[in-house]
Amino acid sequence: MRKNYYLMLVAMIVVTSCQMKTKTVAYDPETTKAEVNKTLDSIGAAFKSKDANAFLSFLTEDGLFCGTDPSELWDKAEYTKTITKMLASDTTSSSADMKVEQRKIIIDKNGKSAVALRQFMTSWSKPIMLRNTLHLVKIDNRWMVNFSNFAFIPKNDDIPKITAAVSK
């Protein structure tokens, strides 16, 4: 019995000592936020210039991309078709006129993912503001979007008016 105990103890020591240690690399939150901001600016510039390839290069293959309509839940292949068609359209210029009024970025504690929020209006959404919430992950030293959600964000005082208008 005692022999088995020592054998198990030695086996446990060997197993635990041979496990890989994950080293947490320190990161600078301000530098990381600047990187995410630069990525957001690049995404916006690609959209405004109607460069579908550049825009889509910021999206992960396994992402979820949500539009403003409840039916708009796309994987990357579906979103690629939607964005390519949208950016090829002449009416996209009204979407590209977005003026970001507020931007917030939260970096996770290991510096490898971030949540970014942008609030803006476009000519087609006035007077209702839009909010785009993104989840970004750092892959091969590059920030990539693996989740995006667009939503209308009316002022609370306007909700009864909107409800009444769509209930007719």
Side-chain angles (χ1 to χ4, degrees):
M1 178 73 172
R2 193 170 252 202
K3 192 176 189 180
N4 287 340
Y5 173 74
Y6 288 126
L7 186 59
M8 287 178 37
L9 181 63
V10 169
M12 288 183 69
I13 290 170
V14 169
V15 168
T16 56
S17 66
C18 291
Q19 290 184 5
M20 292 180 62
K21 308 285 189 249
T22 55
K23 190 167 96 174
T24 303
V25 178
Y27 74 98
D28 176 25
E30 292 308 311
T31 301
T32 303
K33 272 190 182 181
E35 290 173 359
V36 172
N37 265 313
K38 185 176 178 184
T39 298
L40 296 175
D41 290 343
S42 297
I43 292 169
F47 188 83
K48 285 181 182 182
S49 68
K50 297 184 171 195
D51 186 345
N53 289 332
F55 179 85
L56 294 165
S57 73
F58 289 99
L59 309 180
T60 64
E61 293 301 319
D62 61 346
L64 173 63
F65 310 99
C66 310
T68 57
D69 189 272
S71 67
E72 296 175 339
L73 301 172
W74 301 295
D75 62 15
K76 186 170 182 186
E78 295 165 324
Y79 196 48
T80 295
K81 290 176 193 171
T82 301
I83 287 295
T84 303
K85 184 177 176 183
M86 178 191 293
L87 294 181
S89 166
D90 289 338
T91 60
T92 306
S93 59
S94 64
S95 296
D97 68 353
M98 68 174 132
K99 177 183 175 278
V100 176
E101 295 184 22
Q102 189 170 24
R103 185 184 279 189
K104 299 278 184 188
I105 297 172
I106 300 169
I107 308 294
D108 79 341
K109 64 184 176 187
N110 70 10
K112 297 292 182 190
S113 71
V115 173
L117 174 141
R118 300 180 296 174
Q119 292 185 173
F120 55 92
M121 277 204 212
T122 65
S123 58
W124 63 266
S125 71
K126 279 184 181 173
I128 302 172
M129 190 172 283
L130 290 164
R131 178 180 294 150
N132 177 219
T133 305
L134 302 137
H135 183 256
L136 297 98
V137 291
K138 198 164 192 180
I139 300 172
D140 296 330
N141 246 1
R142 185 166 184 239
W143 286 99
M144 304 283 291
V145 176
N146 72 349
F147 175 80
S148 175
N149 182 57
F150 283 90
F152 287 101
I153 53 168
K155 293 181 178 172
N156 289 338
D157 292 344
D158 292 336
I159 292 174
K161 295 179 223 170
I162 294 168
T163 302
V166 297
S167 296
K168 294 181 180 184

